[in-house]
Amino acid sequence: MRNQHPDFGERVRARRRELGLSQQQLAGDVVTSSYISLLESGKRAPTLDVIIHLAEQLMMPVDELVGQGIAGSLAAEPVSAHSGAAPGPAASAPAGAAAAPQPSRPRTPPPPPASPSPTAVRTPTPPSQILAVNAMQSNDYARSIELLRDLYAQVLAEGDPMRSIEVGLQLQRALQTHGDHDQRLALLEELAATASDQPSDAVRVAVLTELGSALRDTGYLSRARTPLESALALLRPAGLHGTSEHVRLLGTLVSVLCELSDTGPVPALISEMLELAESVDAPGILGRSQWVAAMAYDQLGSAEDAHTFIVRARQHLTPATLTLRDWLRFCRSTTSILLNTGHLDDAHEWLLGAEQTTSLMNVPAETAALAALRARHESALGRHESALKLYVGLTGEDSPLSGLQLARACLAKAEELRALNRPEEAAEALRGAAAICEENGAYQLAVQMWRRMDEIRSR
């Protein structure tokens, strides 16, 4: 079946050639080169996640790339297992529930949009947006944020809500990479309010997924469930069931539930996420899903399952297939899991890789997270004084950590104090960690810390 919008494929091909990109370079780790070929020939209609990826790679506004706005350009059917489209996390049913079979096409196909005028003048990509992309690729995150903030303010003043969502989503990604989680959250709350008044369910799914991720990253775990579950309910109406948005949403929900210690539905959600990722011919997406599964099993205490999935993920994920920030996070996850399974030599190699990558980024939040990981490695080698020194620096008044990251650092400091036979100080550190958990709604984790405090005092 041919795309209802063949001009979309023509625009993609023309812009790709203008930039000198191959189909493989344009595909990245989100889709395959064969899928790009199908798009360019008009034999496949893109989903929202693919549109956003292409717009970023081609340095074009979404509306310019699509020709008639986001809502009218979405695929009328989910991406098939043979399309090569990348997955993302989500589920159309409530968390933990099995998804109902999805028909291959909606019962009432949407009417074809009006063809763009052949005499329409192409709106050039704003120079600031191109410069922002270049700055991101050069790891100059502060410059990218500055440019995108100015552009976002300009778009808001022009009163174009869909364009403001597009630029806002790009800005929040830059803020996330730079570790500005509070500012990212404030922006996404604004974008969610804007998206709620728009006709596109797909746009709302994209914004709500990012909002749930931002709430998780800032420690508001209980609040994070609401936008994620709202996004789940919109998947089928948006035509995104089985796509990369679906997989990514599932992965985000799994991470939130693990942080909340609400682990009952997690194994079923992991299975659903991996099954969807397997059905899509995109190794990068499968690798990311296996990475999420590894981290989830690590938090569930299933060390061997965590090790199995991180090894599988390493077969698909490389520095060439991930952004610098994501490669750093992957190095840290792998190090953590290897420490938990006793593979100390391998863990040290991945830790060195994480440290080398961190030195290229100059992001304080990432430096702090790496220091906590180095402290864990020191502890695993029995160097408790050295580990404690690192944790003290991470948990003071000027701590670069916040939310559950800070709570976990306090917990780790308590364990080092216990190992050094300083039980009263250990109990005090646990009290602070429990209080942080309660503030962030992680009540089950707080209970575990109170119990641990009682264990230390009773010895």
Side-chain angles (χ1 to χ4, degrees), residues 134-209:
N134 291 340
M136 280 286 289
Q137 292 174 344
S138 301
N139 302 319
D140 188 354
Y141 306 114
R143 175 62 173 159
S144 180
I145 290 169
E146 177 186 1
L147 291 165
L148 289 170
R149 274 186 178 142
D150 290 344
L151 180 59
Y152 180 65
Q154 175 187 331
V155 172
L156 284 179
E158 293 171 354
D160 185 343
M162 294 302 288
R163 176 80 170 124
S164 69
I165 291 173
E166 174 204 341
V167 175
L169 287 174
Q170 189 175 1
L171 173 56
Q172 69 86 24
R173 278 190 286 274
L175 290 168
Q176 179 186 31
T177 301
H178 198 241
D180 298 332
H181 298 303
D182 290 336
Q183 296 182 49
R184 178 192 177 213
L185 175 57
L187 172 61
L188 282 164
E189 288 175 332
E190 184 176 310
L191 294 178
T194 302
S196 66
D197 295 328
Q198 303 308 307
S200 173
D201 288 328
V203 169
R204 284 195 288 275
V205 169
V207 174
L208 289 171
T209 300

Side-chain angles (χ1 to χ4, degrees), residues 226-238:
T226 300
L228 294 175
E229 289 172 356
S230 296
L232 289 174
L234 290 171
L235 275 175
R236 288 189 188 279

Side-chain angles (χ1 to χ4, degrees), residues 150 324 453:
D150 290 344
L324 191 63
M453 191 187 311

